[in-house]
Structures are given as structure tokens and as C-alpha cells.
Amino acid sequence: MTTSAAGPEGPGTSGLAAENRRLRAELTRRHLIDLATGVLAAQLGASPADAAEHLAALSHATGLGVEDLSADIVNGVAGMSGTDPAAAVRAEPAPAEPVVFSTPDERRARRAATAAETTDTVGEAARALLEGGLAPLGAESLWLWRRDAWGCLRLAGHAGVGAAEAAAWQWIPPAAPPAFRSVLSDGGPVWLADGAEAGEVLPGPTRRSARAVLALRSRGATVGLALVAWPGPTAFDPALRKALVGLTEVAGTVLDAADSPASAVPALVDVLDSLVHPAMLLRVVAPAARPTVEHLNEYAVAALGGAPPSEDRSLALAFPQAHADLAHLARRAHRTARTQRVPRLPASGPPGSEDRAGEEDPPPLLDVRVLPAGSERTVVLWHAATDPGLATERAVARLQSVALFQDSLSDGGSVWSEQAYALFGRARDEPPVPLLGLRGMVHPEDGAALTDLLRALTEWRTGAQTVLRIVLADGTVRHVRVAAEPLLDAGTVTGFAGVYQDVSASRRVEAALNATFDQLTAVRTRAELRHQIALQLQQAIVPEVPDLQEFPGLVVAARYRPAAEEYRVGGDWYDVQPLPSGKILVAVGDVAGHGIESVTGMVALHNAQRGLACTGESPRRLMEWLNEVALRTSGHPTATAVCALYDPADRELVWSSAGHLPLLLVRDGEARLLDPPHDILLGAVPSYAYEERRTALRPGDTLLLYTDGLIERRHDGLDEGLAQLAAQAEALSGHPPNEQVEWLLDTAAGDTDDDTSVVAVRVR
């Protein structure tokens, strides 16, 4: 069972958390004493029983506890202790004063290494090493990569790292950063006391953060890499270097374990760890077998008050009051191959807690979704009542490289924001390069993509975006997303305005997969699994609403249609949610791109929106928060969205738009587009101030919210698609909302094979 570092414990979970910690500590203690007993048996030529008696006698004679003395003995043979206890061990235990073989730091390091050895997976081992050994040395995070047969590195475990940041470094291709290549080729560690070298990008809090990169070895071979990061610069003195080498040695053994769930189902673990609410992976090997917990993401660990002990991974231990219902839902999901949903299950907590008077009830499982994931596994998603979970504090706290530009076709000039100069590696006194002059900096293989972008802007006079490889003067290659709109004057294109975004980090996964695609058929199997999981998760998180849903003052129908092409699962989402204030949230969004990256961005924005809406803030403020969430989400997603709050008391709709298509209002059989604020998309520029619109609705009004897959055509402008949508909406005005959305999807004008969402809201 793999887990991530847990967040704060929720109410009612302290008993289970304390029991988990006690069992884990006892398992570590027993393993350490067993190791010391084995060392004594070998050195004294005694039986295990005699060695255990000698250990107890030596502990009594020296005044050291059995656990401390065991740490000293194991450190001595491992070379981690400053003195050699062998002589004292072999002698009769009768010194007059206590004997100290190891320092407190050395003992703590040995306990951490032993704790890592008792774990079942690399993820648990990383957490044990960081919490018990590395954090006291000032370290902030630990990364462990497994090396495959083709030279790629796959993240097998981490600690002190957010799920979103970990997703960005899941795969590292053979053309790894220089520090990694040096360790893999020479075998010796690399000490970066003052941070990464100029031009080198490495995991860690900042570029100036100290890092230690060490080889992980097992059975004489290098099986992977470890990276330890500090908050800032750090001096690596000999004592610190020795401690780091000793602590990471055990990771190589754990990394070489054959049946780690993290290596068996990497796509599932990646996606679950990217979610911002509790998620769990169950394994059911037979219809009558008891389900076992194979993985918990960090929010599930927090909801349970800690991970269940590895020696008992049964569902009944983790969910004593809900395990029977969860097991039934898991089996039904496999039998029907369909997602199972229940609104609420009993609270989780330690066995017997329901009978303890005076204790606060543990949180229930809300909005539970159970979906099949292969022949033996099931994914369980839920929310906790106490989970604050979806506010901006949970986002990764780092801004990404985004720059603005505006080109003029009349004089050939260009204006860049300050960030663009650094992105393109140009000095501030050098002139900006306009989009039409960018071809000399673009990788030759991306010339066609640039041509298509320029053709869309100049010939079709419509906005477009693409990703280009920009080759800097020093040979560095950056992947830059270009999103641009034409500037029109009386129908004539006079220039371009848009955004440059450095997405190089998000391309590492693709580069690693491409490096092995032609050599291993299993890579395609992994891609198929990632597609299936992305599609199932999107359908679970953004489900269809097959029947009309009624809310105070509203009747709602919603539909989602996936992309036509395989492996193009998109980032559309929609939401209709009653709020504590009595108002109703109505929202639609569209994350750029397709696949796991797009779905991960959609999950972050959709869940953040649901949580933040409960604050009671205005749509304008919600959109500003979502913009900051997008800027801080791994993969650097950009998205269009519209967020509206409907007040049943006065039938007023207050709404804000982030570059999204206009709302369509149908009143008395006539359709008209609501003029949106001219605000930019989410994830483009930090601290952007969005505007609001207010629209008074009447009984019988129908409001349509939709994404571009409904109307966008390859060779037509958006105006034609919007006009056709308005005509269809007028023809359908007498039909109920569920028939309207079905008809609109069946007759959609869009031909881009993109995924599509449409929501029809009728005022009662």
C-alpha cells in the first residue's frame, strides 16, 4: 500500500491514527532488535536465543535501552557509527560506566533506515526516511526514481512533495539533467550546495535550494536515483554526506522490490495522487475475497487519521463501519462495468469508537463513487465533511512562466511583457521578435505547427494555440505554448495579441514515453490504461445527468460527449450546485489539451471551484481564485470558464467569464447571446481582476452553457457556429431541457472531434 504524506487529522480519527503509529513503531522496534540479535549470533557463534540473552545482559550492564543498543550494534557493522562496538559486544558485559557507541543522530538515522526496511512500498519507505532521518538534517523533500532497461527514470516514491509537483517529474528521459547523468554514469553522488547549475532544471523548492543526488544500488547494480532537497543553500560537510549515503542505501533495496503496487499500476497511482480529495485503490482478487487497500492518496490518509498498518491492509480495518457497503459496491462495479454512486456512507474510525461516549463522531464518506479499474482493482472516490480541501492553499505554491505579447502588422513591431525576454533567452535591450518572425527560433520539425497557427490567425481570422519548440542561442530547447487572437479592424487583421507559456516541464513525461515507445509494446498498454482511467475518472467526476434535476427555482439537464478520437479525453467540466447561501452555482469550463494532463487540470479546477463556491464569494472573486489555482497546478493548465450564481429569491444571475463562449438566453422563443466581459483565460497571468455581469431572468427562460466542441468548425469562424446554435435553440424552445441537450449534441455543428459539454437551465 502506497501513501503520500498525510495532512492534518480530522476529528474522530485520533484513535486510529495513534494505533497506526503504535503498530508501526513496534514493528520497527522488533525488526531492529532482530537485526542486532542476528549480528551478535554471527559474531559470537551463538544460537539466536543465546544472542538475545547476551543482548539483554549487555543492555543491563551498559545502561542503554535494548533498542538504542541494537541501533549501535547495527550501525557498527554498517559503518554508520563513529566507534566500533564489536570489542564490547564480544566481551563479558560488565563495564562500570555506560558505554556509548553511537551519537543520538546516528541512532535516529538507524531507526529511520529500519523503519524504511519494514515498509511494503517505495512510497512508504521514502516517507519513513524523510520523517525519521532526513528532516532532522534540515531536508525538506525526498525523491526516489527507478531506472528501467532503456535508461528512463520513473518516480517510484516521494515524501515532502505535493502530488501535483510529483506528477510533473513522474518520467525523466535518458537525456536527463546533467547532475542525474553524472550519477548514473560515474556512480558517485553529486552535491549541489548552492542549488542547480545555471540552465539546469531539477526538482526542489527553488533553484537555489541545496540538493544531493545519489545512486541507489542493489545486488551490485544501480537501480535508480535519490534526490534530497533542502529549503535553501546548505553546506555538505563530511558528517552530513556520510549520513545521507547511509540513509539512502536502504532505499536501493526497497526500490528493487518486485511487487510494489506503485510499479504494478503506475497510471492509477499517478492519477489518484493528482486528485485533491480522498481517493483509494482497492484490490479484489476473487468475487468472494475480502478487498484489500492497495493505495491511499494523501487526502484519504488525512481523512483516516493515518495509513492502516502494512501488516493488515484489509478494508475492514480502514473502514470498520463502511467496509461491507464498499465491498458490495466494488463487486457490483466489476460485475456491471459501471460506476457506482451513493450519497453517503457511515463514518470511518477505529473499531468500537461508535460506542465511546463523549467522543466526537468521525466524518462520514460523502458523494462516494466506485469505479472498476481493470480485472482486479477498483477506485473509490469520496469527500469528507471536514475536508477544507479545495481552497487555494492546497494548490502547489509556485508561479509558472507566462508572458504577454502584442504584434502590429502595420509597422511590423512587437511589444513583450517582461517575462517574455527571459522565456526566449533575450536581453532587455534586444528587440522583441514578432510572431511572424519567430520561425528562425522554432525547431525545424515544428515549422508546420507555426504555419497552421499563422494561417488560423490571418486567413480564418480566429484564435488558435499550439506548442512550439524554441531553440535558444545557447542550444537550450524550450517547449512554449502560444495562444493568440487576431486584432481586427473592419474585418481586416491588423495584428495579434496573445500569451506565451513555458510548458517544458510538462513535456518530460511525453519525452520519456516517446523514448521507449518503439522498444516496448507495454508502453502502448500503459497509454491505453491511462486513457481508460482518464475517461472513467472524468465520467465519475463530471457525470451525465440522464434525467431532469430540480433545484430551487430551476430545472437542469446536462450532457458530456467525449472526443471522437481515441486517446483524446479532454478537460471539459460542468457543475450545478446548491450552496449554503441558498444560491445555485452554474458553471462550465474547458481545459486546453487532452489526456491525463488535461483531466488532471480539470480535476483541480473543478474541485477547487466546488469548494471555493461555498465561501459565498462573488463569481468575480471565484474566477480570480481559480486563476491562481491554475497558475499553481502542475502541468500549468490554461482553461476557459464561465461561473454564475443564480438567486431564486429575485431570479438574478450574476456571472463572470474567463475567455469562454457567451451564454445563450432563450426567452419567449427568441435566442440571444449575452455579451461576456472581455477577460482572459484562466492560468495566463497572475493577479488578474475579472469583471461581472448581472442578468435578470424570468419564468420560462432557458439558459445554455456549453464548450467549443458544440459549435467549433475547422474552416469556419465562431460566428457561424454561434448563429447555428441560436437557430437550433429557438427551434427547441418548447421542449424540456433534457430533450434540448440531447438534440443539440446529436446535431452539433462542431467538427473538430473535441469533447463537448452542454448544460440547459430553465427558470421555473
Side-chain angles (χ1 to χ4, degrees):
M1 178 178 59
T2 60
T3 58
S4 300
E9 294 178 3
T13 60
S14 58
L16 181 59
E19 180 65 10
N20 287 336
R21 288 192 294 269
R22 186 192 68 79
L23 291 172
R24 177 64 66 187
E26 178 60 25
L27 181 63
T28 300
R29 177 180 178 276
R30 291 203 311 265
H31 183 59
L32 181 58
I33 294 174
D34 289 344
L35 288 175
T37 301
V39 171
L40 287 176
Q43 291 183 339
L44 300 174
S47 67
D50 290 340
E53 290 183 4
H54 191 84
L55 179 64
L58 187 61
S59 170
H60 178 74
T62 59
L64 293 174
V66 174
E67 188 176 0
D68 284 343
L69 184 61
S70 297
D72 296 346
I73 293 172
V74 177
N75 277 344
V77 297
M80 289 180 64
S81 176
T83 58
D84 183 5
V89 167
R90 288 190 291 269
E92 290 298 325
E97 298 293 335
V99 177
V100 178
F101 301 125
S102 298
T103 66
D105 287 343
E106 291 169 343
R107 289 187 184 129
R108 182 177 57 241
R110 174 49 55 193
R111 290 193 183 94
T114 306
E117 289 174 342
T118 64
T119 61
D120 295 329
T121 66
V122 184
E124 291 178 353
R127 190 168 57 257
L129 289 172
L130 179 65
E131 294 175 355
L134 295 171
L137 300 176
E140 183 176 271
S141 59
L142 171 64
W143 308 69
L144 301 175
W145 286 274
R146 178 184 285 106
R147 187 185 191 185
D148 66 17
W150 297 272
C152 290
L153 295 173
R154 183 186 179 344
L155 188 62
H158 55 83
V161 180
E165 186 179 5
W169 290 91
Q170 282 291 331
W171 283 94
I172 298 177
F180 287 18
R181 294 200 302 269
S182 173
V183 174
L184 290 173
S185 60
D186 301 337
V190 171
W191 311 103
L192 302 172
D194 296 316
E197 300 291 340
E200 185 174 16
V201 180
L202 293 174
T206 68
R207 192 183 69 81
R208 293 297 309 281
S209 297
R211 297 167 175 85
V213 186
L214 305 98
L216 299 179
R217 299 182 62 81
S218 178
R219 293 178 289 186
T222 298
V223 295
L225 282 184
L227 184 144
V228 186
W230 280 257
T234 297
F236 291 107
D237 57 43
L240 179 57
R241 296 188 181 195
K242 179 180 178 181
L244 291 172
V245 171
L247 282 167
T248 54
E249 278 182 350
V250 68
T253 303
V254 178
L255 195 68
D256 204 28
D259 60 346
S260 166
S263 60
V265 284
L268 279 170
V269 172
D270 291 351
V271 175
L272 297 189
D273 282 346
S274 71
L275 300 177
V276 288
H277 57 73
M280 170 175 61
L281 180 62
L282 296 180
R283 188 178 186 189
V284 186
V285 297
R290 292 194 313 165
T292 57
V293 178
E294 197 167 63
H295 179 74
L296 296 168
N297 72 356
E298 62 176 301
Y299 300 99
V301 173
L304 295 177
S310 60
E311 60 268 26
D312 188 351
R313 296 179 291 177
S314 66
L315 185 63
L317 179 65
F319 299 89
Q321 300 180 46
H323 68 92
D325 292 322
L326 288 171
H328 171 72
L329 291 169
R331 296 187 182 99
R332 185 176 178 184
H334 274 290
R335 186 173 64 254
T336 63
R338 295 176 61 89
T339 298
Q340 307 298 309
R341 298 184 68 128
V342 292
R344 182 187 180 98
L345 286 178
S348 60
S353 61
E354 64 275 11
D355 299 327
R356 298 174 186 171
E359 289 193 7
E360 187 174 359
D361 290 337
L365 282 66
L366 304 178
D367 190 21
V368 181
R369 288 151 291 170
V370 182
L371 55 153
S375 60
E376 296 182 351
R377 291 178 174 85
T378 304
V379 171
V380 181
L381 311 173
W382 77 95
H383 291 276
T386 57
D387 183 8
L390 307 172
T392 54
E393 300 93 279
R394 292 288 181 101
V396 180
R398 191 187 308 175
L399 294 178
Q400 303 300 328
S401 179
V402 176
L404 303 178
F405 73 92
Q406 182 167 323
D407 297 347
S408 171
L409 296 183
S410 59
D411 60 11
S414 180
V415 177
W416 280 359
S417 67
E418 182 178 355
Q419 298 92 332
Y421 291 90
L423 194 154
F424 285 94
R426 296 178 69 84
R428 286 303 304 272
D429 56 358
E430 293 184 88
V433 179
L435 195 59
L436 289 174
L438 205 60
R439 193 172 299 274
M441 300 181 67
V442 173
H443 192 283
E445 295 179 2
D446 292 347
L450 177 59
T451 299
D452 291 342
L453 175 70
L454 294 173
R455 180 177 293 117
L457 294 170
T458 56
E459 297 180 14
W460 303 339
R461 293 175 294 178
T462 185
Q465 66 172 326
T466 190
V467 175
L468 303 173
R469 284 171 289 179
I470 302 298
V471 183
L472 304 187
D474 62 359
T476 301
V477 177
R478 285 186 177 152
H479 293 263
V480 177
R481 176 181 287 130
V482 185
E485 293 285 338
L487 301 177
L488 302 175
D489 184 3
T492 301
V493 179
T494 61
F496 315 126
V499 175
Y500 294 127
Q501 182 182 25
D502 186 353
V503 295
S504 302
S506 64
R507 297 289 162 159
R508 293 190 184 94
V509 174
E510 298 176 20
L513 290 176
N514 290 335
T516 57
F517 185 82
D518 294 332
Q519 304 176 54
L520 183 64
T521 304
V523 171
R524 177 166 178 83
T525 302
R526 184 181 292 113
E528 293 172 351
L529 178 59
R530 290 172 68 87
H531 166 72
Q532 293 168 5
I533 298 305
L535 179 59
Q536 289 178 320
L537 279 173
Q538 183 172 56
Q539 292 172 341
I541 295 167
V542 188
E544 284 194 353
V545 182
D547 299 315
L548 289 173
Q549 284 193 325
E550 295 189 358
F551 299 90
L554 295 179
V555 178
V556 178
R559 295 290 186 275
Y560 170 76
R561 181 186 66 187
E565 293 184 18
E566 193 177 14
Y567 306 121
R568 284 177 57 86
V569 179
D572 280 12
W573 85 87
Y574 57 81
D575 206 358
V576 182
Q577 175 188 1
L579 302 177
S581 63
K583 297 180 181 180
I584 300 171
L585 170 72
V586 183
V588 165
D590 184 8
V591 176
H594 300 86
I596 286 290
E597 182 183 16
S598 178
V599 173
T600 300
M602 178 272 291
V603 170
L605 293 174
H606 174 259
N607 286 339
Q609 177 183 266
R610 289 185 66 90
L612 293 170
C614 294
T615 63
E617 287 288 344
S618 66
R620 173 189 62 80
R621 187 64 176 136
L622 294 179
M623 203 66 80
E624 291 170 357
W625 282 338
L626 287 179
N627 183 52
E628 298 301 321
V629 171
L631 288 166
R632 292 165 169 82
T633 296
S634 177
H636 329 315
T638 56
T640 65
V642 60
C643 178
L645 290 181
Y646 175 75
D647 190 347
D650 58 6
R651 299 193 181 96
E652 184 179 57
L653 186 80
V654 183
W655 54 286
S656 185
S657 176
H660 200 75
L661 295 168
L663 306 182
L664 183 67
L665 176 62
V666 182
R667 175 175 293 169
D668 299 329
E670 294 184 0
R672 68 181 178 92
L673 297 170
L674 300 182
D675 185 31
H678 298 289
D679 288 334
I680 63 175
L681 73 171
L682 301 174
V685 178
S687 303
Y688 187 86
Y690 288 85
E691 299 178 10
E692 282 181 353
R693 293 284 190 271
R694 294 179 179 271
T695 303
L697 299 180
R698 304 174 187 172
D701 284 354
T702 298
L703 197 67
L704 291 179
L705 298 85
Y706 50 94
T707 56
D708 55 9
L710 188 67
I711 64 167
E712 194 173 49
R713 299 181 64 84
R714 290 186 177 91
H715 304 300
D716 292 334
L718 288 178
D719 291 343
E720 289 82 355
L722 290 171
Q724 183 173 344
L725 175 63
Q728 290 176 326
E730 289 180 351
L732 296 169
S733 60
H735 294 262
N738 57 333
E739 295 182 10
Q740 290 186 25
V741 294
E742 290 283 0
W743 183 264
L744 288 173
L745 280 182
D746 290 342
T747 60
D751 66 354
T752 59
D753 295 334
D754 200 2
D755 54 336
T756 303
S757 294
V758 58
V759 179
V761 179
R762 175 164 294 176
V763 181
R764 292 196 293 182

